[in-house]
Amino acid sequence: MSVYHQSIQVQSKMVPTFHDVTEGAKNALKNSGIKNGIMVVYSQHTTCSVMIQEESHDENFFGTKSIMQDLLNIFEEIVPTCRSEGQYLHPGPAHIADATRRKELPCWSLNTDAHLRSIIMGRSESIPIIDGKLELGEFGRIYFADFDQVRARERTVRFQIIGE
């Protein structure tokens, strides 16, 4: 049994950002030499998620694929975008004080909606590997979602492969 790890970087924007990381996953699998096992695609970031969805060829003027915009529209109803302090219990005064000590801008903590959306969606996906191929189905693609809208950042997508 072998274990292999690889990561890639993606750049978020000041809007929810969705990155198709399928080719990165396939590249990691190729580099691993593993033919049968499982791949975990993981986000270490608490405002981000990993999901499997089909390719949506249409997109809006902001470049968001239609299926992802549909997801954001549903989220807006159940977890509204945080627009000002006090909208959610988090961040409270102690959290803001801690963030300020770490040289963060107080407004960077107004991302409670992103944390909640990440909790709902989950931060990883496990994909079977059979005969050297990721079993994603005919239309499956792997997406890394960054729901944070308070600042743009570089994010890390991790691929952990276990098998033989």
Side-chain angles (χ1 to χ4, degrees):
M1 177 102 27
S2 296
V3 177
Y4 179 82
H5 174 263
Q6 187 171 316
S7 64
I8 61 171
Q9 305 301 121
V10 296
Q11 181 63 47
S12 69
K13 302 176 187 173
M14 294 282 291
V15 296
T17 310
F18 299 90
H19 301 275
D20 184 336
V21 297
T22 309
E23 295 310 312
K26 288 179 179 179
N27 185 50
L29 178 58
K30 179 182 172 187
N31 292 341
S32 76
I34 293 172
K35 299 297 180 200
N36 293 288
I38 194 161
M39 174 186 284
V40 176
V41 183
Y42 173 73
S43 168
Q44 66 195 33
H45 309 287
T46 59
T47 58
C48 300
S49 293
V50 175
M51 66 188 89
I52 297 174
Q53 187 51 265
E54 74 175 0
E55 167 69 35
S56 179
H57 298 90
D58 299 301
E59 58 186 44
N60 65 19
F61 293 120
F62 298 104
T64 303
K65 300 287 187 175
S66 295
I67 192 77
M68 300 308 176
Q69 187 60 55
D70 290 336
L71 176 65
L72 292 174
N73 293 346
I74 294 296
F75 270 145
E76 197 59 42
E77 292 180 26
I78 59 176
V79 184
T81 300
C82 189
R83 303 209 187 280
S84 68
E85 63 277 9
Q87 181 177 347
Y88 291 97
L89 296 175
H90 174 85
H95 185 80
I96 295 294
D98 180 65
T100 302
R101 275 192 298 277
R102 288 183 281 120
K103 307 283 190 235
E104 292 186 9
L105 296 176
C107 64
W108 288 355
S109 293
L110 296 178
N111 61 355
T112 302
D113 58 300
H115 288 283
L116 296 173
R117 292 171 182 187
S118 173
I119 291 168
I120 292 169
M121 292 299 298
R123 294 181 29 211
S124 68
E125 289 285 350
S126 300
I127 305 154
I129 301 165
I130 301 173
D131 297 327
K133 184 178 177 191
L134 292 170
E135 291 298 317
L136 291 169
E138 185 177 355
F139 302 109
R141 307 292 295 175
I142 307 164
Y143 290 94
F144 180 91
D146 187 341
F147 295 113
D148 202 328
Q149 300 181 58
V150 298
R151 59 181 162 158
R153 296 185 261 183
E154 188 173 75
R155 301 298 202 161
T156 302
V157 184
R158 300 197 178 278
F159 307 104
Q160 184 88 19
I161 305 165
I162 302 168
E164 51 192 20

